[in-house]
Amino acid sequence: MPESTAKEPPPDSDSLPLDFVTMVKAARQVVDSGARVLEPGVAALQLRGHLGLLIPEAEGRLGSFSSAGIEEARRRMDAGPGPLGPVRYVHALARSVLALCAYLGHGQGLGVPESPRAWAPPAGTAVVLVGAGRYWDAVRVRTDVGERVIRRLGGNSGAVIQDMYGAALYWLVAPGTADKWALPSEQVVPLGVATFVVVPPAHFTDTSRRIRWAVPLTATRYLTDAELLHGALAAEVT
């Protein structure tokens, strides 16, 4: 009996290995270009396609990685440029691509920083001092400036702590991402290793509390993209 000459069907595209090198290269080109991104609409389309592959892969391997990073990537992919404009939007997409590639173990040697480790605020009813530089760095902003930044960032802001005693707002960003900022220190202070932030429980959101979450910490709202935060701060500080 003659052997069958029928060809096997091609492998399902969903089972093919992800091309992490191409993904990281595309994202890194955007980040390295700064404000000089060529054809941001084309780059955004490409990066959204990468996120469409990375997000389900990351969800399938979810372990110590905070689901907030995955949800943030999905939110960015679905949101569109909005008030950010095309250049800032494509930078946000690029940083999500890099973060997910790092989480999935394909950032080493490609210039991708490690993803922030999973973290949770204190349970119970007491605020606690948490050291910056391990899970996140913080950015302390004078209240009047910070309130304007919250409005400017809108849905692109991560969680924000308000300390009414110190007349300050605190954003949480990935470790090391605000180290080289050069903003007026009387209005903006990046806080890294060897500094501490008073952190309230997640349910401390009402205005009667002197230390609370002005922008609540949720499963889908945690760290703020440092580049977006820097841009909003630079536009508001005097």
Side-chain angles (χ1 to χ4, degrees), residues 20-31 43 46-47 50 94 97-98:
F20 290 101
V21 172
T22 296
M23 293 179 179
V24 170
K25 181 179 178 181
R28 181 55 62 190
Q29 284 178 339
V30 169
V31 172
Q46 181 186 31
L47 292 171
H50 293 335
V97 168
L98 293 176

Short mmCIF file of all heavy atoms in Angstrom, two decimals, residues 20-31 43 46-47 50 94 97-98:
data_model
loop_
_atom_site.label_atom_id
_atom_site.label_comp_id
_atom_site.label_asym_id
_atom_site.label_seq_id
_atom_site.Cartn_x
_atom_site.Cartn_y
_atom_site.Cartn_z
N PHE A 20 10.82 36.71 21.11
CA PHE A 20 11.12 37.72 22.13
C PHE A 20 12.18 38.71 21.66
O PHE A 20 12.14 39.88 22.01
CB PHE A 20 11.56 37.04 23.42
CG PHE A 20 10.46 36.31 24.12
CD1 PHE A 20 10.35 34.93 24.02
CD2 PHE A 20 9.53 37.00 24.89
CE1 PHE A 20 9.32 34.26 24.67
CE2 PHE A 20 8.51 36.34 25.54
CZ PHE A 20 8.40 34.97 25.43
N VAL A 21 13.13 38.24 20.87
CA VAL A 21 14.19 39.13 20.40
C VAL A 21 13.60 40.27 19.58
O VAL A 21 13.94 41.44 19.77
CB VAL A 21 15.24 38.35 19.58
CG1 VAL A 21 16.23 39.32 18.93
CG2 VAL A 21 15.97 37.36 20.47
N THR A 22 12.68 39.93 18.68
CA THR A 22 12.04 40.96 17.86
C THR A 22 11.20 41.90 18.71
O THR A 22 11.20 43.12 18.50
CB THR A 22 11.15 40.29 16.79
OG1 THR A 22 11.99 39.53 15.91
CG2 THR A 22 10.38 41.34 15.99
N MET A 23 10.49 41.34 19.69
CA MET A 23 9.65 42.16 20.55
C MET A 23 10.47 43.16 21.36
O MET A 23 10.15 44.35 21.44
CB MET A 23 8.83 41.26 21.50
CG MET A 23 7.80 40.41 20.81
SD MET A 23 6.92 39.37 22.01
CE MET A 23 5.77 38.51 20.94
N VAL A 24 11.54 42.66 21.98
CA VAL A 24 12.40 43.52 22.78
C VAL A 24 13.06 44.58 21.91
O VAL A 24 13.15 45.75 22.28
CB VAL A 24 13.45 42.69 23.54
CG1 VAL A 24 14.50 43.60 24.17
CG2 VAL A 24 12.77 41.84 24.61
N LYS A 25 13.50 44.19 20.73
CA LYS A 25 14.16 45.13 19.83
C LYS A 25 13.20 46.27 19.44
O LYS A 25 13.58 47.44 19.46
CB LYS A 25 14.65 44.42 18.58
CG LYS A 25 15.37 45.34 17.60
CD LYS A 25 15.87 44.55 16.38
CE LYS A 25 16.55 45.48 15.39
NZ LYS A 25 17.03 44.73 14.18
N ALA A 26 11.96 45.93 19.11
CA ALA A 26 10.98 46.94 18.72
C ALA A 26 10.69 47.89 19.87
O ALA A 26 10.61 49.11 19.69
CB ALA A 26 9.70 46.27 18.24
N ALA A 27 10.52 47.33 21.08
CA ALA A 27 10.22 48.16 22.24
C ALA A 27 11.41 49.03 22.61
O ALA A 27 11.27 50.22 22.95
CB ALA A 27 9.81 47.29 23.42
N ARG A 28 12.62 48.46 22.55
CA ARG A 28 13.81 49.21 22.91
C ARG A 28 14.08 50.35 21.93
O ARG A 28 14.53 51.43 22.33
CB ARG A 28 15.01 48.25 22.96
CG ARG A 28 16.33 48.90 23.35
CD ARG A 28 16.26 49.64 24.64
NE ARG A 28 15.94 48.79 25.77
CZ ARG A 28 15.64 49.23 26.97
NH1 ARG A 28 15.58 50.53 27.20
NH2 ARG A 28 15.36 48.39 27.95
N GLN A 29 13.76 50.16 20.67
CA GLN A 29 13.93 51.23 19.68
C GLN A 29 13.05 52.43 20.03
O GLN A 29 13.47 53.59 19.91
CB GLN A 29 13.59 50.72 18.28
CG GLN A 29 14.68 49.86 17.66
CD GLN A 29 14.29 49.35 16.28
OE1 GLN A 29 13.11 49.28 15.94
NE2 GLN A 29 15.28 48.95 15.50
N VAL A 30 11.84 52.15 20.48
CA VAL A 30 10.93 53.24 20.87
C VAL A 30 11.48 53.96 22.10
O VAL A 30 11.55 55.20 22.13
CB VAL A 30 9.52 52.69 21.15
CG1 VAL A 30 8.65 53.75 21.83
CG2 VAL A 30 8.87 52.24 19.86
N VAL A 31 11.85 53.21 23.12
CA VAL A 31 12.34 53.81 24.35
C VAL A 31 13.60 54.64 24.09
O VAL A 31 13.74 55.77 24.58
CB VAL A 31 12.63 52.72 25.41
CG1 VAL A 31 13.33 53.31 26.63
CG2 VAL A 31 11.33 52.04 25.83
N ALA A 43 4.39 52.11 15.00
CA ALA A 43 5.03 51.45 16.13
C ALA A 43 4.00 50.97 17.14
O ALA A 43 4.12 49.86 17.70
CB ALA A 43 6.02 52.41 16.80
N GLN A 46 2.39 47.77 15.96
CA GLN A 46 3.28 46.64 16.14
C GLN A 46 3.35 46.21 17.61
O GLN A 46 3.26 45.01 17.92
CB GLN A 46 4.68 46.99 15.64
CG GLN A 46 5.69 45.86 15.77
CD GLN A 46 7.10 46.29 15.39
OE1 GLN A 46 7.46 47.45 15.57
NE2 GLN A 46 7.88 45.38 14.84
N LEU A 47 3.50 47.19 18.51
CA LEU A 47 3.64 46.85 19.93
C LEU A 47 2.34 46.29 20.50
O LEU A 47 2.37 45.40 21.35
CB LEU A 47 4.07 48.09 20.71
CG LEU A 47 5.50 48.58 20.39
CD1 LEU A 47 5.75 49.93 21.05
CD2 LEU A 47 6.54 47.56 20.84
N HIS A 50 2.37 42.74 19.70
CA HIS A 50 3.24 41.99 20.61
C HIS A 50 2.55 41.75 21.95
O HIS A 50 2.63 40.66 22.52
CB HIS A 50 4.55 42.75 20.83
CG HIS A 50 5.42 42.84 19.62
ND1 HIS A 50 5.37 41.92 18.59
CD2 HIS A 50 6.38 43.76 19.26
CE1 HIS A 50 6.25 42.24 17.65
NE2 HIS A 50 6.87 43.35 18.04
N ALA A 94 5.59 50.33 24.80
CA ALA A 94 6.94 49.74 24.76
C ALA A 94 7.37 49.27 26.14
O ALA A 94 7.97 48.19 26.29
CB ALA A 94 7.93 50.75 24.20
N VAL A 97 5.71 46.03 27.00
CA VAL A 97 6.35 44.92 26.28
C VAL A 97 7.64 44.50 26.98
O VAL A 97 7.88 43.31 27.22
CB VAL A 97 6.64 45.32 24.82
CG1 VAL A 97 7.56 44.28 24.15
CG2 VAL A 97 5.34 45.43 24.03
N LEU A 98 8.46 45.46 27.36
CA LEU A 98 9.71 45.14 28.04
C LEU A 98 9.47 44.47 29.39
O LEU A 98 10.16 43.52 29.77
CB LEU A 98 10.55 46.40 28.23
CG LEU A 98 11.08 47.04 26.94
CD1 LEU A 98 11.80 48.35 27.26
CD2 LEU A 98 12.00 46.10 26.19
#
